Amino acid sequence: MPQATFHFPNGFLWGTATAAYQVEGNNRNNNWSAWENEAGRIKDGAKAGLACDWWGGRWKEDFDRAAEAGQNALRLSVEWSRIQPAPDRWDQDALEHYRQMVRGLVERKMTPMVTLHHFTDPLWLYERGGWEDDATPALFNAFVAKTVEALKEYVNLWVTINEPNIYTALGYVIGLFPPGNPDARTAFKVYRNLLRGHAAAYRTIHSVQPQARVGVTINRTAFVPARRWFPPDVLLTRFFNWNLNEAYSAALTSGKLAFLFRRARVPEAAGTQDFIGLNYYDRRQLIFDPGARDQLYAQQQFPRGVEISQSGEFGNTPDGMYDALKWAKRFELPIIVTENGIEDEADGLRPRYLVENIHQMWHAVNISYPIKGYFHWTLVDNFEWARGWTQRFGLWGLDVATQARLKRKSADLYAAICKENGISSEVVQRYAPEIFGKLFPG
Ligand code: BGC
């Protein structure tokens, strides 16, 4: 049997990614806590509740788990509504809580990556229109200044805004996220303000901390037409790829936003990234469906033969990871894979998904793509937004009622990769023998 290891460069960051609302518990002062309380918004009427109880202190045991499992980095987000519970109030205790957390990472020899906005907005901001309001970028910037000042001793890797493309698409185009208001004109306004907010935050962070590395994360779901010979599928795919995958990043390069057939100049956004934050989950086919108005006339499916997750909502399409990295390389900046993962409670598919996606990343690293790290989504099962608790993305499972963590075999597999700084044939043989021949042809 062939023996080999696919090595990664020294200093490569291996971690997991999390988000405040999904793990902290007891967040009651933001748009998502309001949304949760509206009937029919969350699958099975579920609530985030205690989530993984990080606010109650269980971050310590989870950070221990991550550190013992060889992770040398962790991505978490701070909750704006805790730090600024009202427009005229800053909560020093909340800032201190986050200081303890990021210090906790550094003490465990893990690099913290901090996201300043991950889908949630304080209730007071939401009630005055959230990112629809042109005053919001400046308000966000003030919050960023406070937070960065408080955490700068321990953090210099920042994500200003997580997935502005998904935030806008789900909140203002499809309506699955708050405010559930599909309206193209509003979506455009929100997108422009998310660019302005990012640009202001980028400069603020650098003025407080010149050595900081600052970026955004973009969720790149690669779309391909289901029928390449059928113009409606082709045009629809072009529309999706531009608006969802390209528009925001293009504006960060050119300072010009073209989104949902509208245009604006946002010159201050040009050149405001120190790295590309790439969230890659899978690749899908689009079928034009004139009856699916609420889905932007698109049915999504996976190519034949692709293994799909329990709910049918995610697929294992690792070649799409390579294409996404190829896209990211165009920007000539360091690349960090800030999210990649699959919902799989039984952990039958995840081992293959993990190995194959990381293997694609290795291919790219091997021909000198400037990839600096990989953050698996996620450490422990957590509150999956509108899907409530129905999807389990954790390396560790969570018993929501008892808070017990249940280690999945993927946790050991990922630990072996992190500790080796690579994928060895032995590890593949042990955890995903069914793909051994594919990775190590004899
Ligand atoms: C989001 C995460 C989410 C994950 C899985 C990403 O788009 O950033 O918050 O849990 O997808 O759905």
Side-chain angles (χ1 to χ4, degrees), residues 22 118-119 162-163 219 281 339 377 384-385 387 393:
Q22 296 179 269
H118 195 127
F119 293 167
N162 178 70
E163 299 184 349
N219 179 308
Y281 285 84
E339 286 180 32
W377 186 275
E384 190 40 49
W385 306 111
R387 304 185 199 106
F393 279 83

Side-chain angles (χ1 to χ4, degrees), residues 30-267:
N30 66 24
N31 55 343
W32 270 89
S33 50
W35 189 247
E36 259 188 30
N37 289 319
E38 288 181 25
R41 297 301 195 186
I42 313 286
K43 213 161 187 172
D44 303 334
K47 305 259 187 259
L50 266 190
C52 306
D53 195 24
W54 278 20
W55 203 252
R58 284 186 213 260
W59 59 268
K60 296 190 191 102
E61 52 167 290
D62 285 339
F63 288 6
D64 284 343
R65 277 187 185 92
E68 277 157 27
Q71 296 176 31
N72 60 15
L74 190 133
R75 178 175 167 226
L76 57 83
S77 79
V78 290
E79 173 55 43
W80 184 354
S81 66
R82 288 198 193 274
I83 293 173
Q84 191 178 9
D88 57 353
R89 199 146 57 82
W90 300 99
D91 187 329
Q92 293 306 328
D93 292 345
L95 283 168
E96 185 49 33
H97 190 109
Y98 287 121
R99 259 177 73 81
Q100 297 294 335
M101 289 177 77
V102 292
R103 194 172 77 186
L105 288 172
V106 172
E107 284 168 355
R108 289 168 179 79
K109 304 202 171 9
M110 296 165 83
T111 301
M113 176 182 234
V114 172
T115 308
L116 292 152
H117 184 279
H118 195 127
F119 293 167
T120 54
D121 295 308
L123 205 52
W124 59 263
L125 187 87
Y126 183 53
E127 282 167 354
R128 44 176 287 169
W131 289 87
E132 291 171 44
D133 184 344
D134 289 341
T136 294
L139 294 168
F140 176 62
N141 194 33
F143 150 72
V144 168
K146 266 273 190 261
T147 306
V148 173
E149 190 56 52
L151 306 186
K152 67 177 184 198
E153 193 180 338
Y154 303 110
V155 183
N156 58 33
L157 195 51
W158 303 93
V159 172
T160 55
I161 298 174
N162 178 70
E163 299 184 349
N165 55 337
I166 297 297
Y167 176 91
T168 308
L170 294 188
Y172 297 88
V173 182
I174 303 284
L176 273 178
F177 277 18
N181 172 24
D183 174 65
R185 190 190 302 255
T186 314
F188 182 79
K189 252 187 127 179
V190 166
Y191 225 42
R192 188 173 53 192
N193 281 333
L194 286 166
L195 275 167
R196 290 179 173 151
H198 160 76
Y202 178 87
R203 294 202 169 78
T204 295
I205 299 171
H206 276 289
S207 71
V208 177
Q209 199 186 33
Q211 81 283 11
R213 285 172 295 154
V214 185
V216 292
T217 64
I218 290 293
N219 179 308
R220 197 171 165 82
T221 302
F223 295 108
V224 288
R227 296 161 293 187
R228 288 178 189 279
W229 45 267
F230 189 53
D233 285 4
V234 175
L235 290 174
L236 185 75
T237 303
R238 218 176 275 166
F239 174 83
F240 266 66
N241 275 332
W242 175 263
N243 289 291
L244 209 61
N245 289 329
E246 301 284 349
Y248 198 90
S249 307
L252 291 180
T253 308
S254 65
K256 293 181 201 145
L257 174 64
F259 181 60
L260 299 177
F261 306 116
R262 290 166 176 79
R263 287 173 189 281
R265 288 186 170 273
V266 193

